[in-house]
Amino acid sequence: MAETMYSSTGRPIGWNGSGWFRLWFKVDEHLAGSMLALRIVQSGASELYLDGKKIGGTGRIGETRAATRSGRTPFSVVPFMITDHRPHLLTVRYVNPRPPFPEAEGFQLWVGTYGQLSAGALNALKMNSFLLASIGAQLALVLLHLALFAFYPRQRLNLYYSLFVFTSAAVLYLRYLTVGTADLHVQRITADLFEAGIIFDIFFAGVFLYGMSYDRLPRRRIIIIALLGALTLLDYFLQNRNPMQALFSLLEISYFLVVIANGLFALIRAMRSRKPRIWLIGAGMLINTFFYLLVGSDLLGLMKGDNQLIAQWMSIGLLAIPVSFSIYLALDFADVNRNLSTRLREVQELSALNLAQEAEKNRILESQTERLEKTVIERTLEVRSQAQKLQEMDALKSRFMINLTHEFRTPLSLIIGPASLLAEKAGTAADRQHGELIMQNAQQLLLLTNQLLDLSKLEEGKMEIAMAEADILAIATVVLLPFNNIAMQKQVTLKLQSPLSQLHGIVDEGKLTMILRNLVSNAIKFSLAHGEIIVTTDVEKDAERTDLIFMVADRGTGIPANKLPYVFDRFYQADVSDTRSNEGSGIGLALTRELVELLGGTIYIDSTEHVGTTVHVKLPAKNLNAVTGDVNFSLQAGAEPAQQNETANLPDESPVLLIIEDHDQLREFIATLLGTRLRTLTARNGEEGLRLAGKYIPDLIITDLMMPVMDGYAVCSKIKNQELTSHIPVIMLTAKNAAGSRTKGWEAGADAYLSKPFEPAELLALVDGLIRNRIQLQERYRREEAWKPAAGSLPSQEMTFVEKVRKAITAQLDNELFGVDMLCDVIGLSRAQLHRKLKSTTGYAPGDLIRMVRLQHALNLLKAGETTVAEVAYKVGFSNPASFSTSFSNYFGYAPSEVKNS
């Protein structure tokens, strides 16, 4: 590390407040390519240049002295890097026309490794911040003793102590500001206040010592030390406020010694006469004096002029008196406590005389206890009454839910009817598709409504059992058929197995259908792709009864063992995460158990997490007629549908939209809604969506929040944190509309948040707005100079990518063979990815950027006037000067030879 400085003692000849200072240096071999830094401490304004390039500065250097603004950065370092071993020129332009501290009109400069200088600056900052801990401790003592004074004003010693400690804390805080402020004018003010604060602190120390020593303050002595303090301050200001003047330091030390010596003398007299423990205060004051002379004033030079070290040790030394005074109060409190103990023993002796009164009190308490028991009985009756009212309210809520659910049926019927007609008789295929979508989802809503009604009926005991002869295997087959489409979408195979070829008996067909349908629906929800669901039907007989046995087994996510006991609770869901692959209300299994128990059966679940789940149902049946013979009915999963719109190339230039949504119908609806305006890509989960985003770099992404494999928060975060896709706007689509969910979405980087159910017009407006904003950003970038866009025009991560491209092009300026393919190799992207990334970010194609950078650099060389047009052409990668002149003229509108004249 190297160090240099200029101060008032080494003033250059002819110095008039401004000038240039130059230093040649070169780095050691082991430091080449390492991060270096420099640190400057000054009282003026400076600009720092390395080999003629400005790398930093402090304050502002104007054209006139009035326009110059001084500044300081005591804890900052300026990083730079040198990769060779040649000599380099470090230049400091320094201006200090009006130094606030005449003894420090210059500057001090260190050059070294970044680690060394940053560590040194950090240590200086820590040492300065250490003062705050001492200030906090002292202020806490001030508040404590001010509170004691407020409660007992006659003891004024707490007030004198609080004034002394408060001025000590104020002195430390002014020291903290003086060292750490960036404003030199503020530093001048705080330095003056710091020196004044020291005088006040010494004065209040004397007042505190007199208060400890005398019953009343000696006014004459107070006036004398006040006048001496005023004269000391006046001397400081008369000597140009220079805290380094030897005379002022001598006067300040003399004032300190006079006040402390007089106070200690008074303490010694008080200790001899009536206050034996007052020596503790004297000891604290002696310690404080020791620190002031050897540390604060540095008479022996032990601190070597290190202001930071002086401040650190003084912050410790100033705690001596607070600690000693606290010990004194603690011992005084101990004396008071002993006196109180004596009084307590006397009170205990007197308490024996009050036994008769205690007996009377006991009698009164007994009567009060009787009244309390009566009150408890009355309150118990009130609680029972309230419980009954709560039951009535619960019944009222249940009736309200039943009535409300009944009300749902009418509008659902009015939705299903017209939707059915629209699906059958609509004029276009799109209208028919919309009608089918409305009808399917309305029927699903009607099913949920019916389940709520069934639960209410079961709760009130109004569900009736309708037993009749039925073909049980046929019932199971009919249950499986409606699930064929959804099973094909999830690539799940449905199977019905039974060791019986025929099975008839008396059962409640409707309730058996509901039980099997709920179990199969749940199994499909939690099954994994390419799995299978097996429904097994059998008969179990013993001496007393005959039962139907049903088992529904899936190979799916399974249920954790700690959640199995709760799966039959109403509205309970074992998986409430944002990455679950299914939606549900939590009433299907609750209704199933209620129906099984109504029929006199039993139900239980076996499940292993990440393996699968099997539900066992046993129902009593009458008049069973079974014929032995294997039944294997299967609905095979079809081939996995191809990814919609994923092609090797995207034919036209309209914006590309990526839709990430696990719900097939909603995904298709959004694609249909926006397909007329945008080219669409679709993905079933977050992982697949990330793959497509990296491959095609779309202009906009719409993602669901709750999805399997990876939720919308993770998708959005990865999109925004990957260099290739960070610029893509993201719309988050979800049913979670709570404030916490929205906040989490914004934190993940979402550009818009749309709640389900959404209005198509709102989605269209959002999409148009985001794409329009992105196009405007590109146009703005195209209007700016290629690599110097207006501040804030691009996010930082996108600017990082653009800068990476710029450096890659600049490094190959003289290579006439450098083109788009070589640029793709350097950046690590395919030609299509780089084209879409740059077009989306800046509006320029890669080839246009390369040509633009070459020509811009050529313009800079021509303006410098150091080379000919032909030489410039070769330097920027043109093999033919004539071709260069043509390209230059077409781009700038004038020939290269006209540059010097322009």
Side-chain angles (χ1 to χ4, degrees), residues 128-370:
N128 194 46
S129 301
F130 180 79
L131 298 177
L132 296 177
S134 179
I135 294 169
Q138 294 187 25
L139 290 179
L141 292 172
V142 169
L143 292 175
L144 172 62
H145 288 277
L146 282 178
L148 293 174
F149 174 75
F151 285 108
Y152 191 56
R154 293 184 61 184
Q155 180 57 279
R156 295 186 178 182
L157 190 59
N158 285 308
L159 176 62
Y160 305 149
Y161 172 79
S162 299
L163 291 173
F164 166 63
V165 177
F166 179 78
T167 53
S168 298
V171 168
L172 288 179
Y173 185 67
L174 289 169
R175 179 67 181 182
Y176 169 81
L177 291 179
T178 302
V179 174
T181 182
D183 192 326
L184 287 166
H185 298 290
V186 173
Q187 188 185 38
R188 175 72 270 179
I189 294 172
T190 56
D192 292 339
L193 293 176
F194 171 75
E195 297 298 332
I198 291 176
I199 303 302
F200 278 97
D201 194 34
I202 296 172
F203 171 78
F204 282 117
V207 172
F208 172 65
L209 292 176
Y210 295 149
M212 289 290 300
S213 306
Y214 301 99
D215 294 331
R216 299 181 63 182
L217 288 178
R219 294 185 178 180
R220 182 178 298 176
R221 296 192 181 193
I222 296 295
I223 293 173
I224 290 173
I225 64 174
L227 290 175
L228 290 175
L231 291 175
T232 305
L233 271 181
L234 182 61
D235 177 77
Y236 168 73
F237 284 95
L238 288 177
Q239 295 189 52
N240 296 323
R241 301 182 300 168
N242 187 349
M244 302 301 293
Q245 289 286 348
L247 182 59
F248 173 75
S249 299
L250 180 61
L251 286 175
E252 182 181 298
I253 295 172
S254 301
Y255 178 66
F256 174 80
L257 292 176
V258 167
V259 174
I260 298 303
N262 191 263
L264 290 175
F265 179 77
L267 280 176
I268 293 172
R269 291 183 58 185
M271 182 175 61
R272 289 179 176 178
S273 60
R274 55 190 171 81
K275 295 183 178 180
R277 293 193 188 93
I278 203 170
W279 64 268
L280 288 169
I281 306 301
M285 188 57 71
L286 284 175
I287 294 174
N288 199 9
T289 303
F290 172 80
F291 271 83
Y292 181 83
L293 294 176
L294 297 185
V295 177
S297 299
D298 199 15
L299 289 179
L300 302 181
L302 298 177
M303 299 293 104
K304 298 179 180 180
D306 189 340
N307 291 329
Q308 298 292 338
L309 191 60
I310 291 172
Q312 183 179 16
W313 281 102
M314 280 304 297
S315 65
I316 297 174
L318 288 175
L319 293 175
I321 288 185
V323 172
S324 62
F325 184 68
S326 298
I327 296 174
Y328 174 84
L329 289 180
L331 294 175
D332 188 65
F333 177 79
D335 290 339
V336 174
N337 190 47
R338 282 193 293 270
N339 292 332
L340 289 176
S341 298
T342 303
R343 301 298 181 191
L344 181 60
R345 285 194 298 270
E346 295 175 357
V347 171
Q348 289 175 346
E349 293 174 358
L350 293 173
S351 65
L353 301 175
N354 297 325
L355 292 177
Q357 297 177 355
E358 290 295 329
E360 179 64 18
K361 290 179 181 179
N362 291 334
R363 186 186 62 79
I364 295 173
L365 287 174
E366 289 176 357
S367 63
Q368 290 177 346
T369 301
E370 292 177 357

Side-chain angles (χ1 to χ4, degrees), residues 525-551:
K525 287 179 182 179
F526 293 97
S527 288
L528 300 177
H530 308 293
E532 64 179 7
I533 298 171
I534 302 175
V535 180
T536 304
T537 305
D538 203 352
V539 175
E540 184 179 282
K541 294 183 179 181
D542 57 27
E544 297 181 358
R545 56 186 283 179
T546 302
D547 294 318
L548 282 171
I549 304 298
F550 296 97
M551 289 188 297

Side-chain angles (χ1 to χ4, degrees), residues 101-113:
F101 298 93
E103 75 283 1
E105 70 176 357
F107 63 89
Q108 189 170 10
L109 182 72
W110 297 268
V111 179
T113 65

